[in-house]
Amino acid sequence: MNTTNIWIITEGQNTCIGQIVEELIRENTGKSQSCCCHKDDILQARTRNENGITKLQQHEGNLEVCIKEHLAIPLIVMLVGGEEGSFEAALVNLKRSVPILVIDGSGKAADFICKGSRMGMNISSAEFQSELIHAAKMLYGSNDEKENTIQTKCEKLITQLEDEMAEHPKSIHVYSVHETTYTLDKTIQDILFDVFYLDEQNEDNLTDNILHFVDLWNRPDIAEKKIFKLENSKVLEELQKKLGRKGSTLSKLFTNALKDDRIDMVRQVLEYILDKTLYKSFLDNSLEGLYQTDGCLGKYLFPELKDKTIKQKKIVEMVNDAVVKILGSEDMKPFEKEDEIGINDIFKHLFIWAVLMNRRDLAMLFWKRDGDSIYSALFASSLAKRLAETASAEAFMDEQTALWESSRHYEDLAYSVMTELYLNDRKHARQLLVREVKRYNSTTIFEITEKFSLMKFMGHAACQTKLNKIWKGRIKGDTSTLKVIMFAVTFFPILKWNILKLHKTGERAKNKVTQWGKGATQDQQNISTCLQSVPNWMRKLYYFYNAPLIKFLFSVLTYMTMLVVFSLFVLTDLHPMEEKFPSIYEYIVYAWAATSLTEEIRQAIVMGNFQSFEWRQLSLNAMTWFYFWTLFEMLMYLMFITSVFLRLTMPAGRFHNARMMYAVTLGTFIINSMQFFLVSKQIGPKVIMIGRMMFDVIFFILIFAVFLFGFGVIYQATMYPNTEPGFPLFQNIIFLPYWQLYGELFLEQFYGALPDDCTENIELYSNGTMDRCPERNQINTFVLAVYMVVTHIVLVNLLIAMFSHTFTKVQDNNELVWKFHRFSLIEEYYDRSSFVPPFIILSHLRIFILYIKNRCTGNTRKNKFKITGKAAENEKLAILEKDAVYSHLNSSTRLRRRRAKNIDAEKDGFEAIYEKDTELSLQEQIHVLSSDVDLLQKDLEETLKTVKQIMTTKQNVLIVEVPRGLHS
């Protein structure tokens, strides 16, 4: 931040104001060259250093003249209080046209001049004369002079003030100590600015000087008053050309405004300079410098900018690398061109810079001027969220709280804009969720929302209704789930009853061509032609059994059947290979498990990219793929493979190991069936809760292990001393304390009871003939008591508290958690084949053949989660999105809340949720009302400002009001 260097010269060191000013300057100068000196010090120094001081001051009354004329330094005389001598000094400086700043309310001479200045031309009237005489008497205080003498002096002072005010009316400036809206430093800056403004004659230099002081003092109000206004069209036309020139005054001003987070200054430049080519030239020269801003995150994200020994990349490439590193996915690369800054990416560059620098207000300015508003807000939320997550390991840990707030702010922004869009046009709002955003590497809103766990936005009614449509496919939304299950088992009612939404033949073929677009291949056109000849009953069967809901139902039925078969052969027909070969049931389970594992691997590979597969995506997808149930499934299939291996290789004598492994594997398969509960809104969150609680159990076990081994060693050392080392010793250490956690105390061992099956003979218990009897030790009873207190009272209650915290955290946003994880379920079964294991292997062969064919022909698979729209359709969506942004920015807080409640309370397809509109509290009503008043006041001020500018330039304006929600 730039500072103004200032010299303050007081009347003397012994004056009260002189001491105060000297102390303040000494404490607050920092790195500036500001200083405070006193006239009496200068006079004393002149006698000691004749050469240095004589040039500055030849006699006491000539110091101000020397500063102003010989040193050419702007001079302001400030009058604080003062007596008759101070008043005379002020009049002398007025004659020299030196600006006088008088502090009203400081007393004596200052109040006298302020009163005369307020009276202005009426100073000579009889009514005001009496007031001025009363004020002038304050200069003399209480002394022994006669009343007539004081009256005469006061009249003389009034006459002198009247003469100087008539001659120099603009040289007296008044600042009140009671002023709350305008600061003293701004008043001084205004005076200095007027001095420079009057002295400069060259118009070009004048504009540069104005911008220089605006930048130096951070005074956008001066820029708005002198430069950025409509009547200065010629000046603005010449000035805006300097934005792209490196080192120009305007370029420096805009750069410093961005670095110092000066919102008003940046807003003025954006409002009056609209040419994108000028901003492109500016970014070409300044973008790298913006990322080197001190005190921000840029120096940590781009360390190579500091290292001059490294071969420098293009700044766009560096930004792409940084964003990919933060988000952990190549799909999130924001810029397609890395060799230059694209003309359509100007505000996008500034927006991402502001997000990375955590400049929320600046980011909002650029967000308004950029396109793809909803996706951009979600992208910013994801960036801020990932930065906040990694902030604890970096040097910008103090930014963590602000980054979390920014992430929530951007997500709320996207949610609000989607609410406006959904109210205006629901069909296109849902379509926007799955449309590829070309400017963000052809990703979708759904994709970024799921990848970075933006739960609130995923819970929006637009997202949920779109998911409902995909979940049911062509099945009508009012069809109950029970009816769907019945129809799925017996397909005859499907043919008889109209529960599917089917287009007519001609309309169907037309829609197919529309979805594929103008670039449809010959094969796709042939498919659309063939669809016209397909019988209606075949289409009904295909669309019904290809719906994700039906796929899910058959997957559940197949899985349960497999569990029955698995349990049947494990419980009744599991023998060593020497005695009996595997039964048909076992081979069925082998086939089912193998094809299911193949399907899991296929889903992991193509996750997030239904169109095609590239090997580089495997490692990137692993960052979001490995959640709790996926890890559990990996363990489950690994155990199954181990079980089969042991079953085929173990001899009869050790076959119990294979049987044990089979039994444990069967148990994991049964537990894995809990995943199917995720489809239920009531049970699904509880399953998620169990998964999260398992991590709490892991942390508890780590803490419990410390006490387990600590007390176990005490037991072992005192009850069974001098035990031989080995694995049995490890078992004995953890055996007693572990089971004591569940209430099995083993008191007979602590009291030294000698049962018949143990011995104290070292030879007998060493060779394993009998167990060793424990030795009695009084300390064991005390240790047991302490252990029971620690484990049963402290640790168990700690685990309960951890479970309660997890339960409360999930329960508070129960609905959001379910809606978010529901997306993954629908996405999985949408891409899943209609065949069930083990017949799903046929689908895998078909997919592999189509993959080879598509790689050779360049075709892509159709996918409802990622649609490439036509140019006209994309343009229409962009217009609707801009209209939603405008509606959001111009709506009041009350209206936003009511709209959000209406959205949350509407029907989500087959899941109906109604919420009653609760009354606002008194505090919320005051907040909403104040926000409405502020919005109205802001709109009124902007309207009056615009009208005033139009009247000044005498422009003819045609205003056309377009009804909102009008669709082309």
Side-chain angles (χ1 to χ4, degrees):
M1 185 76 178
N2 293 328
T3 58
T4 305
N5 297 325
I6 185 170
W7 296 353
I8 299 180
I9 303 176
T10 68
E11 288 294 321
Q13 187 176 10
N14 295 326
T15 61
C16 179
I17 188 65
Q19 296 176 0
I20 295 174
V21 169
E22 182 179 12
E23 183 177 351
L24 289 174
I25 289 293
R26 188 184 303 114
E27 293 178 356
N28 297 281
T29 50
K31 296 182 180 180
S32 68
Q33 299 178 359
S34 302
C35 63
C36 176
C37 52
H38 312 285
K39 283 188 176 181
D40 49 5
D41 289 341
I42 296 175
L43 291 173
Q44 294 174 9
R46 183 169 67 98
T47 60
R48 295 192 299 266
N49 190 355
E50 193 71 15
N51 295 331
I53 299 299
T54 302
K55 295 181 180 180
L56 179 64
Q57 177 184 355
Q58 297 180 357
H59 53 82
E60 185 177 355
N62 204 26
L63 178 60
E64 292 84 356
V65 177
C66 182
I67 293 174
K68 181 180 179 181
E69 298 181 359
H70 296 284
L71 300 181
I73 296 175
L75 178 66
I76 297 176
V77 174
M78 183 184 299
L79 183 60
V80 183
E83 299 182 355
E84 184 178 5
S86 300
F87 175 76
E88 293 176 354
L91 295 182
V92 171
N93 285 285
L94 278 176
K95 292 179 180 179
R96 298 170 183 162
S97 299
V98 176
I100 305 296
L101 176 58
V102 187
I103 307 301
D104 187 16
S106 59
K108 296 188 178 181
D111 288 354
F112 171 65
I113 296 177
C114 290
K115 188 177 288 292
S117 177
R118 285 196 299 268
M119 294 178 180
M121 300 303 296
N122 298 321
I123 193 172
S124 58
S125 64
E127 181 181 354
F128 294 119
Q129 280 284 338
S130 60
E131 294 186 20
L132 281 175
I133 289 175
H134 177 72
K137 288 181 180 180
M138 301 299 295
L139 272 68
Y140 300 100
S142 58
N143 51 35
D144 298 333
E145 294 189 39
K146 295 181 179 180
E147 182 67 24
N148 294 335
T149 305
I150 295 177
Q151 182 76 13
T152 303
K153 289 184 177 181
C154 291
E155 292 176 355
K156 181 180 178 182
L157 293 179
I158 295 172
T159 304
Q160 292 176 338
L161 178 61
E162 183 180 2
D163 293 341
E164 293 301 330
M165 287 180 57
E167 186 175 354
H168 306 283
K170 296 184 179 180
S171 295
I172 298 179
H173 305 269
V174 177
Y175 178 80
S176 175
V177 294
H178 305 294
E179 179 68 49
T180 58
T181 59
Y182 212 72
T183 58
L184 178 60
D185 59 336
K186 285 188 176 181
T187 305
I188 297 174
Q189 290 170 0
D190 290 339
I191 299 172
L192 290 174
F193 179 77
D194 291 338
V195 173
F196 283 107
Y197 190 78
L198 295 174
D199 291 344
E200 186 61 60
Q201 302 297 327
N202 188 297
E203 186 172 348
D204 293 336
N205 294 339
L206 177 61
T207 303
D208 289 340
N209 285 338
I210 293 174
L211 293 178
H212 171 72
F213 287 111
V214 167
D215 183 21
L216 183 66
W217 297 333
N218 188 20
R219 294 291 301 276
D221 55 322
I222 295 178
E224 184 177 10
K225 188 187 303 181
K226 299 296 183 181
I227 297 178
F228 294 114
K229 52 185 180 179
L230 292 179
E231 53 264 33
N232 277 357
S233 57
K234 293 184 179 179
V235 175
L236 288 173
E237 185 178 353
E238 294 296 326
L239 180 63
Q240 65 180 358
K241 298 177 182 178
K242 299 180 180 179
L243 181 63
R245 299 177 188 172
K246 188 174 183 179
S248 65
T249 309
L250 182 59
S251 178
K252 291 179 180 178
L253 170 67
F254 194 52
T255 302
N256 292 334
L258 291 172
K259 289 184 175 182
D260 297 334
D261 202 13
R262 304 176 187 175
I263 309 300
D264 295 332
M265 193 69 256
V266 175
R267 183 184 292 109
Q268 286 183 4
V269 175
L270 294 176
E271 287 178 354
Y272 286 91
I273 300 179
L274 306 177
D275 191 353
K276 284 189 176 182
T277 57
L278 299 175
Y279 290 105
K280 182 182 184 308
S281 301
F282 169 78
L283 289 181
D284 289 336
N285 299 325
S286 307
L287 184 59
E288 184 173 323
L290 291 176
Y291 279 105
Q292 292 178 308
T293 304
D294 292 333
C296 297
L297 308 182
K299 59 183 180 182
Y300 304 111
L301 299 175
F302 304 95
E304 59 267 27
L305 291 177
K306 299 284 186 179
D307 192 353
K308 301 301 181 182
T309 60
I310 302 176
K311 183 179 178 181
Q312 294 293 311
K313 301 179 182 178
K314 295 286 186 180
I315 184 62
V316 182
E317 184 180 358
M318 293 168 62
V319 173
N320 276 341
D321 293 344
V323 171
V324 169
K325 181 180 178 182
I326 294 170
L327 299 180
S329 174
E330 283 283 349
D331 294 337
M332 295 294 110
K333 185 170 67 173
F335 301 107
E336 184 177 357
K337 295 182 179 179
E338 295 189 341
D339 54 342
E340 63 175 354
I341 298 175
I343 191 66
N344 295 323
D345 293 334
I346 300 301
F347 295 117
K348 182 179 171 184
H349 268 288
L350 291 171
F351 173 70
I352 291 178
W353 170 84
V355 173
L356 292 176
M357 299 296 109
N358 199 22
R359 306 288 176 82
R360 192 190 309 170
D361 294 331
L362 282 178
M364 287 297 298
L365 288 180
F366 304 129
W367 175 80
K368 296 175 187 176
R369 288 162 174 79
D370 195 23
D372 301 313
S373 303
I374 296 177
Y375 191 99
S376 297
L378 294 174
F379 188 84
S381 178
S382 305
L383 271 179
K385 185 177 182 179
R386 284 299 176 89
L387 285 173
E389 290 172 353
T390 58
S392 57
E394 301 291 344
F396 48 87
M397 187 174 179
D398 56 334
E399 299 274 354
Q400 189 174 27
T401 303
L403 286 169
W404 279 118
E405 292 178 356
S406 297
S407 178
R408 288 190 290 268
H409 170 78
Y410 295 129
E411 186 178 2
D412 292 342
L413 181 64
Y415 188 95
S416 299
V417 176
M418 177 55 73
T419 300
E420 297 289 342
L421 179 59
Y422 190 66
L423 288 173
N424 294 340
D425 194 323
R426 301 191 176 195
K427 177 182 176 182
H428 287 93
R430 291 191 291 263
Q431 186 178 349
L432 187 67
L433 296 171
V434 295
R435 179 181 62 89
E436 286 185 346
V437 183
K438 297 294 185 182
R439 298 177 65 244
Y440 284 91
N441 203 21
S442 296
T443 50
T444 65
I445 292 177
F446 260 157
E447 188 175 349
I448 191 174
T449 304
E450 189 271 339
K451 184 168 290 187
F452 300 104
S453 302
L454 304 178
M455 290 191 180
K456 181 176 181 180
F457 188 83
M458 185 64 78
H460 195 280
C463 300
Q464 292 305 304
T465 52
K466 182 63 178 179
L467 290 176
N468 288 340
K469 287 180 174 293
I470 297 174
W471 178 241
K472 284 199 169 183
R474 294 294 183 91
I475 302 174
K476 290 184 177 180
D478 56 353
T479 306
S480 66
T481 305
L482 183 61
K483 185 184 291 186
V484 170
I485 295 175
M486 183 183 67
F487 287 2
V489 178
T490 59
F491 67 88
F492 178 74
I494 305 171
L495 306 179
K496 184 177 179 181
W497 292 343
N498 188 20
I499 66 169
L500 296 174
K501 295 180 292 184
L502 298 179
H503 300 295
K504 296 180 181 179
T505 305
E507 184 181 353
R508 181 174 73 253
K510 181 181 177 181
N511 289 338
K512 278 291 177 183
V513 175
T514 301
Q515 291 177 0
W516 284 324
K518 296 180 179 179
T521 63
Q522 185 64 36
D523 292 340
Q524 292 170 342
Q525 293 177 0
N526 293 337
I527 292 173
S528 65
T529 305
C530 294
L531 283 174
Q532 303 180 28
S533 59
V534 175
N536 202 38
W537 66 271
M538 292 183 63
R539 290 167 47 222
K540 282 187 175 183
L541 289 177
Y542 172 78
Y543 286 126
F544 182 82
Y545 287 100
N546 201 45
L549 172 59
I550 304 302
K551 295 178 185 177
F552 173 79
L553 292 176
F554 276 98
S555 296
V556 173
L557 293 175
T558 308
Y559 194 89
M560 295 305 169
T561 304
M562 187 278 304
L563 289 181
V564 172
V565 175
F566 199 173
S567 303
L568 189 63
F569 89 80
V570 170
L571 295 173
T572 63
D573 194 12
L574 184 60
H575 303 279
M577 292 295 293
E578 296 91 338
E579 299 179 5
K580 185 180 179 180
F581 285 101
S583 64
I584 186 64
Y585 299 120
E586 192 167 354
Y587 283 121
I588 292 174
V589 174
Y590 290 169
W592 185 95
T595 53
S596 297
L597 179 58
T598 306
E599 174 63 18
E600 294 293 336
I601 295 174
R602 185 197 67 82
Q603 288 181 8
I605 292 176
V606 302
M607 182 180 177
N609 186 1
F610 293 87
Q611 306 296 333
S612 60
F613 162 69
E614 297 180 10
W615 287 107
R616 63 177 176 83
Q617 292 177 349
L618 189 59
S619 60
L620 296 175
N621 285 331
M623 298 179 184
T624 55
W625 181 56
F626 288 102
Y627 58 100
F628 175 78
W629 286 108
T630 305
L631 288 173
F632 189 84
E633 285 182 346
M634 291 178 59
L635 176 63
M636 180 182 70
Y637 285 112
L638 181 62
M639 291 175 62
F640 183 81
I641 295 172
T642 307
S643 301
V644 174
F645 175 78
L646 294 177
R647 192 253 187 280
L648 299 177
T649 57
M650 281 289 178
R654 293 190 298 168
F655 190 74
H656 64 277
N657 294 320
R659 189 185 305 277
M660 177 188 65
M661 197 67 190
Y662 257 121
V664 175
T665 303
L666 175 59
T668 59
F669 270 86
I670 295 174
I671 294 174
N672 186 59
S673 62
M674 292 179 64
Q675 286 193 66
F676 297 123
F677 293 132
L678 287 173
V679 75
S680 172
K681 184 181 177 182
Q682 287 72 32
I683 308 178
K686 307 302 184 293
V687 178
I688 298 169
M689 199 178 301
I690 292 173
R692 294 187 177 183
M693 286 181 175
M694 293 305 296
F695 290 101
D696 292 339
V697 171
I698 293 175
F699 293 130
F700 171 78
I701 290 175
L702 294 177
I703 300 174
F704 175 64
V706 176
F707 295 94
L708 181 74
F709 283 100
F711 286 90
V713 168
I714 297 176
Y715 292 156
Q716 184 66 24
T718 55
M719 298 172 65
Y720 302 97
N722 302 320
T723 304
E724 295 183 1
F727 183 73
L729 176 61
F730 176 77
Q731 288 180 310
N732 293 335
I733 289 175
I734 65 175
F735 182 81
L736 287 180
Y738 179 78
W739 292 110
Q740 284 173 349
L741 178 66
Y742 306 110
E744 181 61 49
L745 302 182
F746 303 100
L747 292 178
E748 66 279 1
Q749 298 188 30
F750 282 84
Y751 287 108
L754 301 177
D756 297 336
D757 57 346
C758 72
T759 180
E760 294 182 352
N761 190 328
I762 188 171
E763 294 182 359
L764 293 178
Y765 67 71
S766 297
N767 57 25
T769 304
M770 298 182 67
D771 293 332
R772 181 181 181 181
C773 292
E775 295 184 7
R776 183 175 181 179
N777 195 315
Q778 294 181 351
I779 194 175
N780 288 337
T781 306
F782 175 75
V783 171
L784 174 62
V786 174
Y787 178 74
M788 295 299 291
V789 170
V790 172
T791 55
H792 283 67
I793 298 180
V794 179
L795 292 184
V796 173
N797 283 281
L798 173 63
L799 180 62
I800 295 173
M802 293 170 65
F803 284 168
S804 300
H805 174 71
T806 301
F807 179 84
T808 304
K809 188 167 59 174
V810 177
Q811 191 70 19
D812 289 343
N813 55 353
N814 190 358
E815 185 179 343
L816 283 181
V817 172
W818 174 76
K819 287 180 177 179
F820 177 78
H821 288 283
R822 181 167 170 260
F823 173 85
S824 301
L825 179 70
I826 296 175
E827 184 184 39
E828 175 184 350
Y829 282 94
Y830 171 80
D831 187 55
R832 199 182 185 103
S833 172
S834 300
F835 293 106
V836 295
F839 306 106
I840 199 173
I841 192 65
L842 301 175
S843 177
H844 293 163
L845 295 175
R846 173 181 168 274
I847 291 174
F848 180 74
I849 295 172
L850 289 178
Y851 169 74
I852 300 298
K853 179 182 177 182
N854 292 338
R855 294 288 288 186
C856 297
T857 60
N859 296 339
T860 56
R861 294 176 58 198
K862 178 188 172 185
N863 172 30
K864 287 187 178 181
F865 282 92
K866 201 167 190 178
I867 297 175
T868 303
K870 296 190 298 183
E873 188 69 20
N874 292 340
E875 185 177 354
K876 183 177 181 179
L877 287 174
I879 294 173
L880 292 172
E881 191 175 8
K882 279 292 184 184
D883 180 61
V885 172
Y886 178 82
S887 300
H888 164 73
L889 295 175
N890 290 277
S891 60
S892 64
T893 305
R894 184 189 297 274
L895 183 60
R896 292 177 195 168
R897 288 192 178 192
R898 187 166 296 279
R899 287 175 176 173
K901 288 181 179 180
N902 291 338
I903 288 294
D904 292 339
E906 73 161 12
K907 278 191 175 183
D908 291 346
F910 61 94
E911 292 288 345
I913 305 164
Y914 291 96
E915 294 180 2
K916 295 183 179 180
D917 190 6
T918 57
E919 293 294 330
L920 298 177
S921 65
L922 179 61
Q923 184 177 1
E924 289 178 326
Q925 292 179 18
I926 295 174
H927 174 72
V928 170
L929 182 61
S930 63
S931 119
D932 292 345
V933 172
D934 292 341
L935 183 62
L936 290 174
Q937 184 178 1
K938 180 181 177 182
D939 292 342
L940 180 61
E941 291 176 354
E942 292 182 355
T943 303
L944 292 175
K945 175 184 172 183
T946 305
V947 171
K948 182 179 178 182
Q949 292 178 343
I950 292 173
M951 293 176 63
T952 304
T953 56
K954 299 180 180 180
Q955 297 183 17
N956 296 323
V957 179
L958 175 63
I959 300 177
V960 179
E961 182 177 0
V962 180
R964 286 193 51 208
L966 187 63
H967 308 307
S968 57

